Amino acid sequence: MCFSTTVLANTKVKLGMSNATAGPVASLGAELYLGSQTYFEQLNLQGGINGKQVELLSLNDNYEPKLTVINTRTFIEQEQIFALFGYVGTPTSYAIFPILKKTGIPYLMPFTGADFLRRPIQENIFNLRASYLQEAQTQIDYLINKKRYKNIALVIQADEFGLAAQRALNKELSRYNITPVVNARYQRNTRDMSHVIKKLQTKPIDAVIFIGTYEPFSHLINTAAQEKIDVLFTSLSFIASHEVYSRLKYNSRVMITEVFPDPSECRWTICQRFKNDMTKAGVNKLNRVQLEGYINAHVFSEVAKRCEQELSHACLIKQFEQYSFKDKDLDIKFSDNNHQGLQKIYLSFSPGALLP
């Protein structure tokens, strides 16, 4: 069956979201879902998408690719969802990539900056967030041009996420003829950093770039502080800065690149809508991941509304490739040769760390 010609026949727009709602990255899945679901609830009260209610189905995959494959097949074969939406992770996205190519089902706004979801362009895949390559460029520029660091270590999650991010980082480092002084790997879904700490103690290091999730990253930073390892720690947006900073026990130096602004500082009109809707939903602690989920839902809904005659995959893809949205300095734009809507990177620094 070719999903690209599928027409939505029922009265609901069913979306499938598979991500971790348990385990070491549970907060990412839960917060992303919360932001999206809050938007869809308000949308449904206003009539939904051209009279059709949006139903967001969520299944937990524990950030384990095998479970992501099972959940995806469940969504497609049993739930007959219209599109896959808001998945979290590079290894999980990589595991279902053959399914995406075979079925042509829309894969919308995943929480990953992986390059294989961007180049070459896949007709049915649309990203909103900036790429890991763009984050790597920003990080390396900061470390080398701003801080004048040369002794840089990499601590990498041993899976497709780690490999994808490492490729981007090494590409940028090579532009400055710099090779990492330490390369250390650790297993996904663990926080055992003892072997990493030993490696970091063997060389003079200015900065440690960490690729992984927030629990092991926080544990590494706190353990390093206890061991008197005084370096700047950095990581990508997948880490979720608010999760890391809330777990720090010392005044450690941490810098994280983000792809959405802090809601408390955001001046976009849609940010005010986000704050109002989250307050209505009883959510008082707001963060970037919720905001990303909310804007993901906004973009999907606005694109789908343009298919007034019939909501089909063919129409959705066509309308995505023509969609743009401007709100102050928020500039979302897709085209037939660009399936990534946002390009901007933000720098986030840990409280009390005397940075930048």
Side-chain angles (χ1 to χ4, degrees):
M1 181 177 185
C2 180
F3 277 90
S4 63
T5 59
T6 296
V7 176
L8 187 68
N10 57 36
T11 57
K12 286 186 177 180
V13 182
K14 294 173 70 174
L15 304 176
M17 173 185 278
S18 175
N19 53 44
T21 54
V25 294
S27 176
L28 292 182
E31 299 285 23
L32 197 70
Y33 172 84
L34 178 60
S36 295
Q37 181 63 11
T38 299
Y39 183 91
F40 287 137
E41 286 176 355
Q42 292 300 314
L43 178 72
N44 287 337
L45 290 174
Q46 298 166 20
I49 296 175
N50 299 331
K52 292 182 171 66
Q53 297 285 286
V54 178
E55 183 178 2
L56 181 58
L57 306 180
S58 176
L59 291 176
N60 175 47
D61 61 24
N62 283 323
Y63 193 45
E64 289 292 348
K66 289 183 179 179
L67 291 178
T68 311
V69 171
I70 293 172
N71 290 348
T72 300
R73 287 174 175 161
T74 298
F75 284 141
I76 294 173
E77 296 168 9
Q78 298 180 28
E79 297 293 346
Q80 297 183 323
I81 50 89
F82 178 68
L84 303 172
F85 174 88
Y87 276 44
V88 171
T90 299
T92 48
S93 294
Y94 188 77
I96 65 164
F97 195 62
I99 298 176
L100 303 178
K101 294 182 72 174
K102 181 179 179 181
T103 64
I105 192 165
Y107 191 57
L108 309 176
M109 283 81 82
F111 194 90
T112 168
D115 193 56
F116 71 86
L117 294 173
R118 290 162 170 77
R119 298 290 176 188
I121 289 177
Q122 301 292 324
E123 180 188 46
N124 56 316
I125 299 177
F126 291 88
N127 302 279
L128 184 58
R129 57 178 17 240
S131 69
Y132 289 147
L133 178 58
Q134 290 169 304
E135 290 194 63
Q137 290 169 340
T138 302
Q139 289 217 5
I140 300 305
D141 176 71
Y142 176 82
L143 292 176
I144 296 176
N145 295 325
K146 174 77 173 179
K147 304 300 290 184
R148 303 297 177 185
Y149 290 160
K150 293 182 179 180
N151 299 318
I152 297 172
L154 300 184
V155 178
I156 306 294
Q157 184 171 286
D159 61 7
E160 187 58 35
F161 172 33
L163 287 173
Q166 187 175 19
R167 284 192 293 267
L169 289 166
N170 282 334
K171 180 179 180 180
E172 288 307 301
L173 286 170
S174 67
R175 294 177 56 228
Y176 297 94
N177 295 316
I178 289 179
T179 302
V181 293
V182 171
N183 278 288
R185 293 185 175 278
Y186 79 98
Q187 294 300 310
R188 182 180 62 244
N189 284 344
T190 181
R191 52 176 253 166
D192 181 9
M193 293 287 124
S194 55
H195 67 291
V196 173
I197 289 292
K198 289 179 181 178
K199 274 199 167 187
L200 297 181
Q201 290 173 323
T202 63
K203 298 284 181 67
I205 296 173
D206 298 315
V208 174
I209 303 177
F210 181 91
I211 306 300
T213 56
Y214 55 83
E215 281 197 359
F217 187 41
S218 307
H219 183 64
L220 175 63
I221 297 169
N222 289 330
T223 304
Q226 293 167 358
E227 295 292 328
K228 309 301 181 184
I229 300 175
D230 183 18
V231 299
L232 170 63
F233 288 92
T234 77
S235 193
L236 305 179
S237 60
F238 188 82
I239 215 82
S241 56
H242 69 279
E243 292 291 351
V244 175
Y245 300 157
S246 67
R247 289 167 167 77
L248 296 183
K249 298 178 181 179
Y250 309 95
N251 286 332
S252 300
R253 294 182 292 139
V254 185
M255 188 273 286
I256 297 174
T257 47
E258 294 281 9
V259 294
F260 281 85
D262 186 329
S264 66
E265 300 172 357
C266 180
R267 297 297 177 261
W268 303 336
T269 304
I270 197 171
C271 280
Q272 191 56 54
R273 287 180 54 193
F274 163 75
K275 294 172 187 176
N276 293 340
D277 286 348
M278 296 300 278
T279 299
K280 290 178 186 176
V283 182
N284 298 315
K285 292 184 177 181
L286 306 181
N287 58 60
R288 300 171 200 256
V289 180
Q290 298 164 354
L291 178 61
E292 182 169 351
Y294 186 90
I295 295 181
N296 285 348
H298 169 80
V299 170
F300 167 75
S301 302
E302 290 301 301
V303 172
K305 283 178 182 178
R306 296 184 175 194
C307 298
E308 296 183 46
Q309 298 301 316
E310 59 179 25
L311 181 53
S312 66
H313 289 161
C315 179
L316 186 76
I317 290 169
K318 178 182 178 181
Q319 293 303 324
F320 251 111
E321 293 184 338
Q322 299 175 2
Y323 181 76
S324 63
F325 177 79
K326 184 83 172 171
D327 180 359
K328 297 184 173 64
D329 67 337
L330 171 61
D331 191 5
I332 301 173
K333 189 173 183 179
F334 296 94
S335 67
D336 58 354
N337 60 5
N338 172 37
H339 282 200
Q340 178 185 297
L342 289 172
Q343 313 298 327
K344 194 168 183 178
I345 305 295
Y346 304 83
L347 295 182
S348 172
F349 298 97
S350 56
L354 301 178
L355 288 170

